[in-house]
């Protein structure tokens, strides 16, 4: 089911939680609402399910205006941060509960509960109670309970935030698998940009109740439309670095850690040719020649396959990831240039949402 929000605003008294929000959620996709705490993500989720009324604007499910349709008439599945399982019911009965409310015959709802339990890999736990399950198992049961009604839209509000790092990684892969197998349009709320980048088809990035940028995950990373997007996405985060341009005028550049290239003896001729700054999102001429800059190697950290190098450039500290096999040592003086991607200059006078 396609979901369309048109100029949606939500106010709580004098506080505007969501302002003039318009977006189209593609049928069958997993869309992440991403942004810092308090930006309006959960408010949008609650308006989609009908728990919170819309102050202005309209919400459409396909071509039907559901702005004033009550929650129980929207065919929504909800998964919360706190699981919200019934402690006195077994896993089987927890999953089947929505069908019991709909007065589906016991034999039929048991059969459907067993089928959905198999989909989310809890079919061996059907006789247990929530208190006998791990956090990851409880969340799988909560997902199964939300899916058993065959919802047209699945809403997930920070569903992994209570889990440890290993379980979060496992469950987000499972959520992606389940969503692809069911094909249900899913909205996933998170403040974790790594989670959003790894799990979703597309991202809607928010700040202060306003949509900042939306699109495919890599499009937002590669082509940020403002400083907020550039700084919010990426780990390590983008560097803010003051460097002179070709005319010797200091400019504030935003440089992805992987966009540094070793120059001189430490680099290669092929790398040296791949320099200059991206014309995208730049409002001043970018260096067109393989210019080099000096830096001091403060520290080197090995992060799995990546080698994160902390550089000191004058009084400025930056994080760099060099993708070649050049040997670097802490305390060394090096020269670097910049790739033609992942380097941005945002007009300081322009409005930055």
């Amino acid at each position: 089911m396609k979901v369309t929000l048109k100029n949606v605003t939500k106010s709580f008294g004098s506080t505007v939680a969501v302002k003039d929000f318009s977006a189209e959620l593609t049928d069958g996709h997993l869309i992440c609402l991403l942004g810092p705490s308090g930006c309006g993500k959960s408010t949008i989720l609650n308006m989609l399910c009908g728990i919170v009324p819309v102050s202005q604007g309209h919400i459409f499910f396909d071509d039907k205006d559901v702005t004033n349709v009550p929650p129980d008439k929207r065919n929504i599945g909800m998964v919360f941060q706190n699981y919200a399982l019934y402690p006195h019911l077994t896993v089987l009965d927890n999953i089947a509960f929505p069908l019991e409310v709909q007065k589906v015959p016991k034999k039929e709802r048991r059969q459907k509960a067993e089928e959905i339990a198999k989909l989310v890999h809890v079919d061996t736990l059907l006789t247990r109670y929530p208190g006998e399950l791990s956090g990851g198992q409880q969340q799988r049961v909560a997902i199964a309970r939300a899916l058993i009604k065959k919802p047209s839209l699945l809403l997930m509000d920070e569903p992994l935030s209570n889990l440890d790092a290993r379980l979060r990684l496992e469950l987000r892969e499972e959520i992606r698998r389940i969503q692809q197998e069911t094909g249900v349009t899913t909205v996933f709320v998170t403040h974790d940009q790594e989670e959003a980048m790894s799990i979703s088809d597309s991202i809607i990035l928010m700040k202060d109740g306003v949509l900042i940028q939306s699109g495919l995950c890599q499009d937002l990373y590669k082509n940020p439309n403002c400083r907020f997007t550039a700084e919010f996405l990426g780990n390590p985060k983008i560097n803010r670095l003051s460097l002179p341009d070709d005319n010797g005028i200091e400019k504030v550049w935003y440089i992805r850690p992987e966009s540094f290239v070793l120059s001189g003896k430490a680099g290669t001729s092929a790398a040296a040719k791949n320099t200059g700054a991206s014309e995208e999102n730049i409002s001043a001429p970018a260096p067109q020649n393989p210019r080099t800059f000096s830096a001091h190697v403060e520290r080197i950290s090995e992060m799995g396959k990546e080698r994160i190098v902390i550089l000191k450039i004058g009084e400025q500290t930056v994080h760099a990831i060099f993708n070649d096999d050049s040997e670097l040592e802490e305390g060394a003086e090096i020269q670097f240039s910049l790739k033609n991607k992942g380097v941005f200059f945002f007009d300081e006078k322009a409005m930055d949402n």
Side-chain angles (χ1 to χ4, degrees):
M1 179 179 71
K2 181 179 74 172
V3 178
T4 305
L5 298 97
K6 288 188 176 180
N7 307 111
V8 171
T9 293
K10 178 58 190 176
S11 300
F12 297 95
S14 60
T15 301
V16 180
V18 175
K19 182 179 180 181
D20 197 26
F21 185 97
S22 295
E24 187 173 289
L25 313 182
T26 304
D27 180 20
H29 279 206
L30 194 160
I31 303 100
C32 271
L33 285 177
L34 175 66
S37 297
C39 72
K41 306 183 299 293
S42 293
T43 301
I44 287 179
L45 214 67
N46 289 331
M47 286 191 289
L48 286 172
C49 72
I51 294 175
V52 170
V54 174
S55 299
Q56 295 178 29
H58 295 273
I59 297 174
F60 294 86
F61 288 178
D62 288 331
D63 297 323
K64 181 182 179 182
D65 189 338
V66 298
T67 308
N68 298 312
V69 173
D72 60 324
K73 303 296 184 183
R74 296 194 184 194
N75 193 25
I76 299 289
M78 283 285 291
V79 179
F80 301 95
Q81 178 179 339
N82 62 357
Y83 318 137
L85 300 178
Y86 297 108
H88 63 288
L89 298 182
T90 64
V91 167
L92 178 65
D93 290 336
N94 262 286
I95 295 173
F97 186 77
L99 300 185
E100 183 178 351
V101 173
Q102 295 177 355
K103 301 190 183 304
V104 173
K106 184 175 181 180
K107 183 178 180 181
E108 182 181 348
R109 66 177 184 255
R110 181 183 180 91
Q111 179 183 349
K112 289 185 176 180
E114 290 174 346
E115 290 173 357
I116 206 74
K118 190 172 183 180
L119 174 69
V120 301
H121 297 166
V122 294
D123 48 309
T124 60
L125 308 172
L126 295 178
T127 59
R128 295 190 188 182
Y129 290 87
E132 301 174 301
L133 305 178
S134 68
Q137 290 169 337
Q138 290 185 59
Q139 195 58 291
R140 287 172 188 264
V141 174
I143 293 170
R145 186 181 58 188
L147 290 173
I148 198 167
K149 297 187 300 181
K150 294 188 176 179
S152 300
L153 179 64
L154 179 63
L155 306 176
M156 311 186 83
D157 193 2
E158 304 261 12
L160 308 181
S161 58
N162 286 341
L163 305 177
D164 61 40
R166 184 178 292 275
L167 268 178
R168 283 201 304 272
L169 179 60
E170 176 187 322
L171 259 294
R172 74 190 189 196
E173 291 174 352
E174 282 296 286
I175 287 171
R176 185 56 174 153
R177 175 188 65 80
I178 292 164
Q179 190 276 329
Q180 289 180 325
E181 287 188 20
T182 60
V184 61
T185 305
T186 301
V187 182
F188 186 104
V189 164
T190 182
H191 63 271
D192 186 327
Q193 54 100 7
E194 278 191 42
E195 197 167 84
M197 296 284 284
S198 67
I199 200 173
S200 61
D201 293 302
S202 59
I203 288 176
I204 295 174
L205 180 62
M206 297 182 64
K207 178 189 177 189
D208 298 333
V210 176
L211 189 156
I212 300 297
Q213 188 172 353
S214 63
L216 300 178
C217 306
Q218 286 303 312
D219 285 347
L220 268 66
Y221 182 81
K222 294 178 180 178
N223 301 298
N225 65 359
C226 64
R227 287 172 291 179
F228 177 76
T229 303
E231 292 179 324
F232 198 87
L233 298 178
N235 186 24
K237 69 179 293 184
I238 199 166
N239 297 288
R240 186 179 186 274
L241 184 61
S242 179
L243 291 174
D245 62 12
D246 286 334
N247 299 317
I249 300 174
E250 289 286 323
K251 300 286 187 182
V252 177
W253 299 92
Y254 290 81
I255 306 168
R256 294 288 182 201
E258 65 272 18
S259 295
F260 292 87
V261 179
L262 286 173
S263 301
K265 293 181 180 180
T268 64
S269 57
K273 291 178 182 178
N274 189 24
T275 55
S278 169
E279 292 294 339
E280 302 199 38
N281 297 310
I282 292 178
S283 57
Q288 297 300 313
N289 300 313
R291 301 172 63 246
T292 59
F293 305 91
S294 299
H296 176 80
V297 179
E298 288 270 296
R299 190 166 74 252
I300 299 173
S301 299
E302 300 290 339
M303 302 290 289
K305 294 181 179 180
E306 289 185 335
R307 179 180 48 168
I308 299 175
V309 183
I310 300 175
L311 302 175
K312 197 79 170 179
I313 303 168
E315 297 300 315
Q316 304 173 91
T317 301
V318 300
H319 292 77
I321 298 174
F322 295 107
N323 295 320
D324 52 42
D325 295 326
S326 302
E327 293 185 5
L328 285 174
E329 294 182 356
E330 294 182 357
E333 300 295 327
I334 66 166
Q335 289 188 316
F336 70 90
S337 54
L338 301 175
K339 293 183 180 180
N340 59 1
K341 292 183 179 179
V343 181
F344 310 99
F345 172 72
F346 299 105
D347 187 349
E348 297 291 319
K349 297 179 182 179
M351 179 182 294
D352 185 10
N353 294 318

